[in-house]
Amino acid sequence: MMKAEEIIREFSIPGKPVSIKSNKQGHINTTFISTFDDGRKYTHQMINSIVFPHPDELMENISAVTEHIRRKTGRDDSTLRVIPAVSGKPYFVDDEGNYWRTYSYIDGVISYDRVPDEKIAYSLGKGIGTFQSLLSDFDSTSLHIVIPRFHDMRMRFKQLNDAAKKDRKNRLRLVNAELSFLMDNKERGERIWDGFETGMLPSHVTHNDTKINNVLFSEDTGEAKCVIDLDTIMPGTILFDTGDMIRTACSTADEDEKDIEKMEFSVPFYKALIDGYMESAASFLSEEERSLIKESGRTITEIMAVRFLTDYLAGDTYYKTSYDDHNLVRARTQIALMKSMDRQWKDF
Ligand code: ADP
Ligand code: GN1
Ligand code: MG
């Protein structure tokens, strides 16, 4: 296995790395941050090949989208910058066939796993709306479909049912309550995907993973400075993105909080988030899209519960986990969040 220093040498970066640190925030890729002798920093990632079987296509999407954003904003740190490998390609393939990429590091930012206050909720909404708006003139059909049917609730329930049937780890007996709650919500959860598939909801370029730690906030102003983790950029409905920002910006506990009593839906955070979002997105939203924003938060929270529970039953093969029941804990917090939304549904 090649060492991080050897991998870094395969990219066109002047100078020498003086430190390399690992970042454990994401559930999917393996991330390192390096600092070079001239003080510049870079992010190096091994792309998860189980999740992303065609890294070359994924990098083509990212290169096209980031160039588009940079051209429109005229600001280098408004989006990720892909640093090419010495070969000229946007990735390097190591001796075991792993794909690596390098981005310049976005400096002067804070990354949150949970929204600390209404100001950051507002900034997140505004940042996601701006991101969608910058890409509203980008032809979504030119993008590769990186993970087909990523937000297809019917497919996600099928995967859950398959995992339950196989029950590879004998865990099914532990999740009766969770499974039955999700099954009761299946039909309602399918509405947004169905609306997208039938064309009732228009296709846009969507990020598909707009959770809060995929947005970096300016240390000085608290504004959203850069939307990162662009692996799942694909055609979709903007409701996939409003949904995931609602899920992660309006929760009072971490995604993997063990005490579900701590997980509540925050109406004040929701209001701040949507204020920010509307400021940058109102001009391109259809009536149908507007009317489903609130529902999108519930739907995306549900799809995460389904996916975490599926991975728990399948034996933790998809998400990175730190302990045995990690995926079950995550599924339970998502269900708790849905229930809290339901209790307050009339208030937001
Ligand atoms: P994953 O797909 O595993 O979630 P991400 O691309 O989201 O990987 O990266 C993981 C974390 O690394 C992010 O949440 C962020 O904190 C940090 N990070 C990634 N890229 C950059 C960057 N270019 N500048 C600053 N921080 C970054
Ligand atoms: C994964 O890569 P990361 O940690 O930002 C996942 C998302 C989930 C999220 C849940 C490609 O996102 O779909 O919403 O975990 N990414 C992929 O925290 O499956
Ligand atoms: Mg991420």
Side-chain angles (χ1 to χ4, degrees), residues 25-29 51-52 147 150-151 156 207-211 213-214 229 231-232 244 247-248 255 300 303-304 307-308 318-319 330:
Q25 261 183 320
H27 296 339
I28 302 293
N29 296 308
V51 174
F52 301 114
I147 303 178
F150 191 53
H151 286 304
R156 294 299 184 186
H207 180 284
N208 295 302
D209 192 3
T210 47
K211 70 176 179 182
N213 69 22
N214 287 330
D229 203 346
D231 295 333
T232 47
D244 211 30
R247 174 181 81 89
T248 57
E255 189 180 72
I300 296 298
I303 210 164
M304 290 317 151
R307 292 176 61 197
F308 287 139
Y318 186 93
Y319 294 107
R330 290 168 175 153

Side-chain angles (χ1 to χ4, degrees), residues 180-193:
S180 105
F181 176 83
L182 292 173
M183 290 313 293
D184 287 346
N185 282 280
K186 181 172 183 291
E187 228 169 273
R188 179 169 171 188
E190 287 167 355
R191 278 188 223 155
I192 288 183
W193 173 264

Side-chain angles (χ1 to χ4, degrees), residues 192-204:
I192 288 183
W193 173 264
D194 290 355
F196 173 59
E197 211 175 33
T198 57
M200 192 261 285
L201 294 166
S203 178
H204 288 270

